[in-house]
Amino acid sequence: MGKLDGKVVLITGAASGIGRASAIRMALEGAAVMCADIDLNGARDTAIRIAQDGSNAAASLELDVAIEADVKAALQTTVDELGGLNVIFNNAGIGGNEAGWDKTIMVNLTGVYHGLFHGAPFLAARGGGSIINTASVAGLVGLTGIQTGEPAELQPGAGAYVAAKHGVTGLTRQYAVTFALQGVRVNAIAPGYIETPMTAPVRETEEVERYIESLHPMGRIGQPEEIAAAAVFLASDDSSFITGIVLPVDGGYTAR
Ligand code: NAP
């Protein structure tokens, strides 16, 4: 018996990294999974891998979380194609400051807001459910940063990632409180550095990789499957009395 038997999950950012690993793991736990991403081919690949792994239903759709209408439409599309909706994983995001202030806030914060603003009442109207947001250790503390030679405060959009992720932790608490009596639980996961395409640039040089590892008391970066395991817990009825938390999955990064 799987931990998510009978549940239908919508995951954004499901073409890659944490989203893909979570889609695969949630399907193994019995969920039917809608894989949504701005990268439709990647989302399709995730759904195909799920179908090849076993008998679970999986589908894919193209969506840009920055576009409110896309996120709203994805909720009903999931119900139409997979027969229900119990869990929304607002996971899509972009990395670092290279995207600049406006785009980082739009995707990493406003994108999650779209999922909460439309998703929470949608689940409430269907009897309840669980929403999970991907925050970051950067949603709990400031980042020490990697020395690039250019002062961080002079980089365009410096701090946007941290501001967006702190916003996600705030939205998580607010929506948890607002929707608690309607049976919608809202929690966030705060990953440390995880080995995904997003962090490939900081893992390019040995020296920087060792530095990043040293920020985690466990002495390593994490794997996307370790975030997926936490997402399964927050999606499942095992976390039935948990709402409004921001769960660090970070090898101790925020413990010191
Ligand atoms: P990833 O491997 O780059 O996957 C992110 C996925 O989201 C990609 O498929 C990406 O498509 C997609 N995406 C980007 N913009 C989108 C948009 N506007 N609408 C829909 N999909 C979009 O990154 P990841 O590491 O798995 O990151 C997933 C989440 O974890 C993000 O919210 C990130 O901030 C968070 N996080 C990651 C780490 C880490 O160390 N990896 C740590 C803490 C938090 P494209 O590739 O086409 O852009």
Side-chain angles (χ1 to χ4, degrees), residues 89 132-136 187-191 227 230-231 234 245-249:
F89 190 6
I132 306 158
N133 302 319
T134 305
S136 167
N187 295 292
I189 298 171
I227 306 303
L234 292 173
I245 68 160
V246 181
L247 176 65
V249 183

Side-chain angles (χ1 to χ4, degrees), residues 120-128 182 184:
F122 192 89
L123 290 184
R126 301 182 58 82
Q182 295 179 69
V184 181

Side-chain angles (χ1 to χ4, degrees), residues 12-19 36-39 63-66 91-95 107-108 134-137 161 165 190-199:
T12 68
S16 178
I18 290 168
D37 205 288
I38 201 165
D39 169 10
L63 112 173
D64 180 348
V65 294
N91 166 74
I94 54 176
V107 175
N108 289 3
T134 305
S136 167
V137 291
Y161 190 82
K165 293 300 186 179
Y193 282 83
I194 306 299
E195 190 178 335
T196 70
M198 183 181 285
T199 56

Side-chain angles (χ1 to χ4, degrees), residues 66-88:
I67 299 175
E68 186 172 359
D70 277 13
V71 178
K72 190 176 176 195
L75 302 167
Q76 190 57 48
T77 303
T78 304
V79 173
D80 294 344
E81 293 195 19
L82 295 176
L85 184 59
N86 310 95
V87 178
I88 301 168

